[in-house]
Amino acid sequence: MFPINRFIRSFFKFLAAIVSVFLPISAFASPPIGVLDDTHAAIRAVMAVQGEVTPDLMRQPEILGTAVGVDAAGTPVLTVYVDRDAANAGEVIRSLPRDVRGAGVQVHLTDKFRAMAKPPWAGGGGHSVSHTAKQTPPIQLGTSGGWSKDLANGYCCGGTLGSLVKIGSTQYILSNYHVFESDIVSGGNNTVATTGDPIIQPGLIDVNCNKNNAQTVGTLVKKSSLPNSNVDCSIAQISSGMVRTDGAILEIGTISSSTVSAAINQAVKKSGRTTGLSHSAVSGLNATVSVTYDAVSF
């Protein structure tokens, strides 16, 4: 029979050997970096630097904005967006520091950021689901729409009715300021956007500038988000029976009512009037960029 005391001594020697093997592994293994969102310490450190340097950087017209991104090794860095069409882009890039207070700096050459990436007449084509056609109510969002009076001097506009939001017990369509209410000066159409104005689907641009070929799906609630708050958004209270109350979006469906923080490399998709359904991933957080609206920038 194997003596119990000898067994115990042998067992603890064996256990000690196992522990001596695994302790160095656990002691020197790098912990997982975690989700790179705006709560991550490394992201917040770069955000602090970004907040200090961005105003001065963007005084240079060649610099279109900044964000918190990651380098090839996955380390959070300050991303600086430089206009690829600027005549002296190379000079601007060479003048940028390699790091600021320990935060690395990387340059991203890019086209100008525009409110519409394609000409307004190039929307909705090439997709299995039309994002510009007039829908049978209640409509899904991610579709063409806009302010019913958005025309002047032979031109008309439109954009995307983005998503459904609820404030208190009231449901609203969320879109852009430049789609719903940017007409703040009485010009060629002799009117300005006002609370209560009809919001239509499709937008005028997709019904030959004739609002009678569209349908009213909501009424504008003017918030004047630009230029003071630097957020391009606007809302319209939905008209009864005209918008799906579950907030369904074309080619996406009903989305969760719970929101999550954006994170680096997070998969995202968008349903819009001009692009249809598109997919991408988050490459930068806390971005501050100059957006061109025809002849005006915000």
Side-chain angles (χ1 to χ4, degrees):
M1 180 179 293
F2 193 84
I4 187 66
N5 289 339
R6 184 178 175 187
F7 169 79
I8 292 173
R9 286 196 300 272
S10 299
F11 174 78
F12 277 104
K13 286 180 181 178
F14 173 76
L15 183 61
I18 294 295
V19 171
S20 68
V21 170
F22 282 101
L23 271 180
I25 295 174
S26 61
F28 294 103
S30 298
I33 194 168
V35 177
L36 290 176
D37 61 14
D38 61 4
T39 66
H40 194 286
I43 293 289
R44 296 194 66 80
V46 180
M47 285 172 60
V49 173
Q50 179 195 19
E52 292 181 14
V53 303
T54 294
D56 285 338
L57 286 174
M58 292 188 66
R59 289 191 179 96
Q60 303 177 64
E62 301 85 1
I63 293 180
L64 302 177
T66 68
V68 179
V70 293
D71 61 16
T75 302
V77 294
L78 175 65
T79 299
V80 180
Y81 299 104
V82 176
D83 185 355
R84 68 167 69 251
D85 295 323
N88 60 335
E91 180 181 339
V92 171
I93 292 170
R94 287 190 293 272
S95 71
L96 291 171
R98 296 184 64 179
D99 65 83
V100 179
R101 285 197 6 238
V105 176
Q106 71 176 2
V107 173
H108 185 85
L109 281 170
T110 181
D111 296 322
K112 287 183 173 65
F113 298 100
R114 298 185 182 276
M116 297 190 75
K118 297 181 181 180
W121 54 84
H127 303 284
S128 58
V129 175
S130 175
H131 290 250
T132 59
K134 184 178 180 179
Q135 297 183 42
T136 300
I139 67 164
Q140 295 188 64
L141 299 170
T143 184
S144 169
W147 182 46
S148 64
K149 304 176 184 179
D150 204 356
L151 75 166
N153 305 319
Y155 296 93
C156 62
C157 302
T160 298
L161 306 181
S163 62
L164 193 69
V165 296
K166 181 182 283 189
I167 303 174
S169 60
T170 305
Q171 291 185 318
Y172 301 86
I173 299 167
L174 175 65
S175 185
N176 299 106
Y177 169 90
H178 73 269
V179 175
F180 280 1
E181 57 174 290
S182 63
D183 203 338
I184 57 175
V185 177
S186 181
N189 60 357
N190 198 34
T191 190
V192 296
T194 304
T195 291
D197 285 347
I199 298 300
I200 58 174
Q201 190 281 323
L204 289 175
I205 197 170
D206 294 310
V207 289
N208 296 316
C209 300
N210 184 350
K211 67 179 181 180
N212 294 323
N213 294 330
Q215 56 192 336
T216 297
V217 294
T219 53
L220 175 63
V221 179
K222 193 168 180 178
K223 294 294 184 181
S224 302
S225 70
L226 286 177
N228 296 326
S229 70
N230 202 32
V231 178
D232 185 0
C233 66
S234 185
I235 58 173
Q237 184 173 342
I238 66 171
S239 298
S240 179
M242 297 303 294
V243 179
R244 281 186 48 166
T245 56
D246 63 356
I249 297 173
L250 287 171
E251 298 191 271
I252 292 177
T254 302
I255 60 176
S256 173
S257 60
S258 300
T259 58
V260 296
S261 297
I264 298 293
N265 296 323
Q266 180 184 49
V268 292
K269 54 187 173 181
K270 183 192 79 169
S271 176
R273 178 248 169 216
T274 303
T275 59
L277 179 65
S278 57
H279 298 78
S280 191
V282 176
S283 61
L285 301 176
N286 200 48
T288 295
V289 296
S290 175
V291 180
T292 298
Y293 294 76
D294 296 326
V296 181
S297 291
F298 290 101

